Amino acid sequence: MTNEHYTFQLSEKVTRQKVTFKNRYGITLSGDLYIPKNVGSQLLPALAISGPFGAVKEQSSGLYANQMAERGFIALAFDPSYTGESSGEPRNVASPDISTEDFSAAVDFLGIQKTVDRNKIGIIGICGWAGFALNATAIDKRVKAVATTSMYDMTRVMSKGYNDVVTLEERTKTLEQLGEQRWKDAESGTPAYQAPYNKLSGGEAQFLVEYHDYYMTPRGYHERSVNSGNAWTMTTPLSFMNMPILTYIKEISPRPMLLIAGENAHSRYFSETAYNNASEPKELMIIPNAVHVDLYDKLDKIPFDKLETFFKSNLK
């Protein structure tokens, strides 16, 4: 029996069913499909939702799906490849390409549901999955609108560090260490893992304290979440280091983009850069007094009414 723990309450107006679907690489993805009750026979607009980076569908993405289903959308929250209940070995490894593909696989699945209008499919990406959401939308013209919250560009932060402070010398040293780690992993036959995530020892930056307060407390803890005291493989950063995912962000246009970020989020600059680099139509919405993790689960901070209006007016 799998652990059925969710970090939020299922709406009385919504049903949730477990589903699986395959991506282009043959990995079986596990998702929860949230469907509004009493919908009748009309075809509904649909949303594919994932994130944050290292989270599972029982956390933030499921909360978003639950809220959007209340508002009349069929919403699919899914576990990325190699994480949660999705397949893929070894566990807890990430790839910018496969993570982008996972969104398109979710669109595949939604588009063949008899209750979905396949011409009205959008994407919501949260945190690190916001960057993949933009990348997927750029390449997948079936996606008619995209929204992100607390966006991270994972390829940028892994290759350049926070606020792009990593020097070429530091980057070179990191890549040398990752190369050495590959030989160690090859010798042992299994990948080594990073230190457990979000365990505090004191003196951490405020945003790390905030991550801990979400992932390691009853508020957001889930045993399958990479961020709830588990970890990525040590070599996970490799493919992120030279594969910028937002190269083609201008090609999202003429489809609309909504970027939502907290005023006080350490990650705010990722959304601002994406906004500046994108073509119209685009909108950047800054949430007053909000930090990064507030947009994971704070119902008084996440602008669900705005998300509803955005998708209802653009999925048509």
Side-chain angles (χ1 to χ4, degrees):
M1 178 66 185
T2 56
N3 179 3
E4 288 297 317
H5 169 65
Y6 287 80
T7 61
F8 57 93
Q9 285 295 121
L10 181 65
S11 167
E12 293 174 357
K13 304 173 186 172
V14 172
T15 61
R16 175 171 61 208
Q17 63 187 66
K18 283 194 154 340
V19 297
T20 59
F21 53 99
K22 283 196 170 172
N23 71 10
R24 205 160 50 87
Y25 296 110
I27 295 169
T28 299
L29 298 173
S30 173
D32 285 323
L33 195 62
Y34 291 77
I35 304 168
K37 289 181 180 174
N38 311 320
V39 292
S41 58
Q42 81 269 33
L43 297 180
L44 296 181
L47 299 169
I49 308 174
S50 199
F53 190 73
V56 289
K57 64 188 180 301
E58 292 83 4
Q59 296 172 312
S60 187
S61 60
L63 179 148
Y64 273 66
N66 182 55
Q67 289 287 327
M68 296 310 286
E70 267 198 349
R71 289 163 164 81
F73 299 86
I74 289 178
L76 173 64
F78 63 90
D79 287 335
S81 295
Y82 305 101
T83 65
E85 292 183 309
S86 291
S87 74
E89 294 287 337
R91 301 307 294 162
N92 297 356
V93 64
S95 148
D97 176 44
I98 296 175
S99 298
T100 300
E101 159 62 22
D102 287 348
F103 265 126
S104 284
V107 174
D108 294 344
F109 173 83
L110 288 169
I112 61 173
Q113 302 310 303
K114 291 183 168 53
T115 48
V116 168
D117 183 341
R118 67 162 57 170
N119 297 310
K120 297 181 178 178
I121 298 177
I123 285 179
I124 299 176
I126 308 159
C127 177
W129 275 73
F132 304 133
L134 296 176
N135 198 33
T137 304
I139 204 168
D140 193 334
K141 304 304 182 183
R142 301 173 301 172
V143 180
K144 296 303 192 293
V146 60
T148 67
T149 59
S150 287
M151 185 200 135
Y152 258 68
D153 173 349
M154 294 306 303
T155 53
R156 179 178 176 186
V157 76
M158 286 201 203
S159 60
K160 298 179 179 175
Y162 285 104
N163 301 301
D164 307 331
V165 298
V166 170
T167 65
L168 176 59
E169 290 76 16
E170 290 167 331
R171 174 182 163 81
T172 300
K173 186 177 180 189
T174 298
L175 290 171
E176 287 169 349
Q177 289 168 342
L178 288 168
E180 291 295 326
Q181 186 61 49
R182 291 189 69 124
W183 270 325
K184 291 176 187 171
D185 290 353
E187 282 171 342
S188 71
T190 55
Y193 285 81
Q194 299 172 11
Y197 277 35
N198 296 314
K199 294 194 172 176
L200 300 181
S201 53
E204 284 86 1
Q206 178 60 28
F207 76 90
L208 294 175
V209 174
E210 290 159 2
Y211 279 143
H212 172 274
D213 289 348
Y214 178 76
Y215 287 109
M216 300 300 289
T217 69
R219 172 184 168 195
Y221 178 84
H222 197 283
E223 64 178 14
R224 285 192 292 270
S225 173
V226 181
N227 295 335
S228 291
N230 299 303
W232 296 105
T233 63
M234 287 185 81
T235 57
T236 285
L238 266 172
S239 58
F240 291 80
M241 297 287 277
N242 68 345
M243 199 182 293
I245 49 174
L246 299 185
T247 304
Y248 295 97
I249 191 170
K250 287 188 185 338
E251 294 184 19
I252 292 174
S253 174
R255 295 162 297 157
M257 171 193 318
L258 171 63
L259 307 169
I260 302 166
E263 177 187 19
N264 301 324
H266 70 282
S267 56
R268 175 176 166 174
Y269 72 99
F270 291 116
S271 293
E272 291 172 338
T273 300
Y275 176 79
N276 290 336
N277 290 342
S279 300
E280 296 285 353
K282 60 184 178 179
E283 183 177 354
L284 176 62
M285 183 178 188
I286 302 297
I287 306 301
N289 303 314
V291 297
H292 181 88
V293 299
D294 285 343
L295 301 185
Y296 287 7
D297 67 335
K298 294 288 177 72
L299 297 180
D300 58 331
K301 297 276 179 80
I302 305 167
F304 282 114
D305 290 345
K306 173 70 176 181
L307 287 164
E308 175 185 359
T309 304
F310 172 77
F311 283 111
K312 282 191 173 161
S313 58
N314 291 305
L315 298 181
K316 58 180 191 290

